[in-house]
Amino acid sequence: MAGMKLLPIHRSALHQFESRVRAIGDDQWDLPTPDTEWSVRDLLNHVVSEQLWVPELLGGKAISDIGDRFDGDVLGDDPKASWTAAAAAAGAAWQESGAENREVALSFGTVAAPIYGWQLTT
């Protein structure tokens, strides 16, 4: 991914995922995904949870600071709105001045923010 610009590609990934979330019908939340352990709702819950971590981690918090705040159901009664809010907050965190130059403390160690960004994007 050398030479590729993280932020525009990350924005595109969020936008593309948004279009897929918007296409989920009210009767489709319990449908299976290719991972037979997860329903459509489970998959979206996972992705929303990952987005909720972004502002916290880019803001300098460690996983231990956040604890279990994003465990369990983070979608509530309106999964689509939960996605939109989490994606907007994550996108805004990446747009902060110097975000790409920060380090992020992940479960396996501290990494340069772009490494974390590419993990989220891909």
Side-chain angles (χ1 to χ4, degrees):
M1 303 217 174
M4 297 179 79
K5 298 284 187 185
L6 170 62
L7 296 183
I9 295 171
H10 182 263
R11 277 192 303 274
S12 176
L14 289 176
H15 177 74
Q16 290 178 46
F17 196 79
E18 171 86 21
S19 69
R20 285 151 180 85
V21 170
R22 292 281 158 219
I24 300 169
D26 290 341
D27 61 341
Q28 294 180 310
W29 293 109
D30 292 325
L31 292 177
T33 64
D35 180 338
T36 58
E37 303 283 317
W38 284 5
S39 66
V40 170
R41 183 182 173 94
D42 294 333
L43 177 61
L44 182 61
N45 190 73
H46 172 74
V47 177
V48 168
S49 175
E50 291 295 323
Q51 299 309 310
L52 292 171
W53 284 89
V54 172
E56 304 288 341
L57 295 175
L58 280 178
K61 290 187 179 174
I63 291 173
S64 60
D65 297 330
I66 300 163
D68 63 359
R69 189 174 350 151
F70 304 129
D71 290 354
D73 180 13
V74 296
L75 299 180
D77 294 334
D78 192 344
K80 292 179 182 181
S82 296
W83 159 256
T84 300
W94 282 108
Q95 295 302 313
E96 290 178 7
S97 178
E100 283 186 286
N101 300 321
R102 298 177 188 162
E103 290 192 336
V104 180
L106 301 176
S107 60
F108 56 87
T110 300
V111 300
I115 292 172
Y116 174 55
W118 284 116
Q119 287 176 354
L120 291 169
T121 302
T122 56

